[in-house]
Amino acid sequence: MSQKISLTRYLVEQQRVDGLIPSQLRLLLEVVARACKSISQAVNKGALGGVLGTAGSENVQGEVQKKLDIIANEVLIEANEWGGHLAAMASEEMDGIYLVPNRYPQGEYLLLFDPLDGSSNIDVNVSIGTIFSVLKKPEGDRGVEESDFLQPGSQQVAAGYCVYGPQTTLVLTVGDGVAMFTLDREQGSFVLTEENVRIPEDTKEFAINMSNMRHWDTPVKRYIDECLQGKEGPRAKDFNMRWIASMVADVHRIMTRGGIFMYPWDKREPHKPGKLRLMYEANPMGWLIEQAGGAATNGRQRILDIQPTQLHERVSVILGSKNEVERVTSYHTGL
Ligand code: AHM
Ligand code: MG
């Protein structure tokens, strides 16, 4: 790209030229990006900033919270509560919804996030990230309730993630394809580094936590078993495996060179539909993947069509290169 295009300019042009985003949404996305920049700085400091290790508390899902989980959550809330663009927020790290305090103007949008995805990788200096999803507040003057958040992913008006790795990269959709922005650390701004991201429809790379193999359901076992047979098997090609254990980093690889990512239902906790959360992990990632030409299902249904019933609802996730996702889905549905 000959001329550097900042995130601000990109968003202004989306608003002005294409009429794609109202000004409140543009402001919201800029504020989220600014928060991601602060989180990136905290992540980069690591032990020097005293941000590693556990916080000694648990979140609503019974997971031990890391210091950075809590810091990232606070950064996102503090950055977003006063700007007038939001009505309420929800996070993996908070039991209930967070209403914008009365002392600030109320906006039209609802923001959901996983402030720091891949928490198990924080202390070992492996890529982690922030995932976010934006919904429109339902019409009407009454205060926001938790049920207002329970909209299917197809209703999202913006979604994205920021991966904190060797580079800090923000990946965004407002429903017109996927754009990537790299943080220029000297300038302190996100610069557009790729537009119209496309995921190849076929792949030879899968991502799944293989240590759970004995707990999987038959369709997932069948798919991976066929991949493992390589050239001599029914797929007639050798597959490669990657598992970073940070969904953001695994999805980012798929955005960059294709692949399939699965965190399916398994028999360890049969009453739970999966490990990952629908509203602030699977929905935003599912929409981004679809916007880049990929597919995302829970094995039986498009992720974005699922009607949520709870804020912290879990879901089985199969996403990435279209033909592979369709194959795994067909192994579940028999179609
Ligand atoms: P987190 O949001 O608490 O970090 O949990 C979600 C993470 C995903 O990023 C990743 O795909 C998965 O959990 C890794 O799970 P596992 O520990 O089974 O490899
Ligand atoms: Mg997560």
Side-chain angles (χ1 to χ4, degrees), residues 120-140:
S120 71
N121 281 324
I122 292 174
D123 295 348
V124 293
N125 201 0
V126 170
S127 298
I128 48 182
T130 298
I131 310 173
F132 62 93
S133 162
V134 185
L135 294 166
K136 199 92 196 280
K137 174 177 88 92
E139 300 285 322

Side-chain angles (χ1 to χ4, degrees), residues 262-279:
M262 291 187 274
Y263 214 119
W265 171 90
D266 67 46
K267 292 179 196 130
R268 282 174 302 168
E269 292 183 291
H271 56 284
K272 288 186 186 160
K275 173 180 179 181
L276 300 176
R277 275 60 46 130
L278 174 62
M279 307 244 11

Side-chain angles (χ1 to χ4, degrees), residues 175-241:
D176 181 36
V178 175
M180 290 188 184
F181 303 84
T182 305
L183 181 62
D184 180 333
R185 291 184 208 274
E186 278 91 55
Q187 301 293 324
S189 63
F190 282 103
V191 176
L192 181 66
T193 39
E194 204 171 334
E195 252 185 307
N196 301 321
V197 176
R198 299 308 290 169
I199 299 172
E201 292 192 352
D202 292 296
T203 183
K204 293 200 240 179
E205 201 160 63
F206 64 82
I208 191 165
N209 184 341
M210 291 287 288
S211 66
N212 297 325
M213 189 180 228
R214 68 191 184 286
H215 306 296
W216 295 338
D217 209 358
T218 317
V220 176
K221 267 192 190 137
R222 173 183 167 195
Y223 175 75
I224 295 297
D225 186 51
E226 289 179 358
C227 293
L228 294 178
Q229 289 177 57
K231 275 203 181 94
E232 292 74 37
R235 301 302 309 278
K237 56 182 180 181
D238 289 334
F239 278 77
N240 185 31
M241 192 201 91

Side-chain angles (χ1 to χ4, degrees), residues 59 63-64 69 92-93 114 116-121 131 209 211-212 243-250 261 263 268 275-277 280-281:
N59 66 14
E63 298 160 344
V64 173
D69 285 325
E92 178 177 320
E93 303 304 338
D114 177 354
L116 210 65
D117 177 65
S119 305
S120 71
N121 281 324
I131 310 173
N209 184 341
S211 66
N212 297 325
W243 183 251
I244 302 175
S246 290
M247 188 194 200
V248 264
D250 279 312
F261 168 93
Y263 214 119
R268 282 174 302 168
K275 173 180 179 181
L276 300 176
R277 275 60 46 130
Y280 39 80
E281 291 178 322

Side-chain angles (χ1 to χ4, degrees), residues 20-84:
L20 269 170
I21 45 173
S23 57
Q24 249 190 38
L25 182 56
R26 177 170 68 80
L27 176 64
L28 190 164
L29 294 171
E30 292 223 45
V31 173
V32 169
R34 206 155 55 227
C36 289
K37 233 177 345 182
S38 304
I39 298 170
S40 174
Q41 275 163 4
V43 168
N44 291 160
K45 281 188 189 140
L48 296 177
V51 296
L52 303 185
T54 58
S57 50
E58 281 189 357
N59 66 14
V60 66
Q61 4 245 339
E63 298 160 344
V64 173
Q65 290 177 306
K66 296 278 171 62
K67 283 185 196 162
L68 263 174
D69 285 325
I70 293 179
I71 293 168
N73 195 57
E74 280 167 5
V75 167
L76 279 156
I77 288 180
E78 280 165 21
N80 279 287
E81 66 179 357
W82 51 269

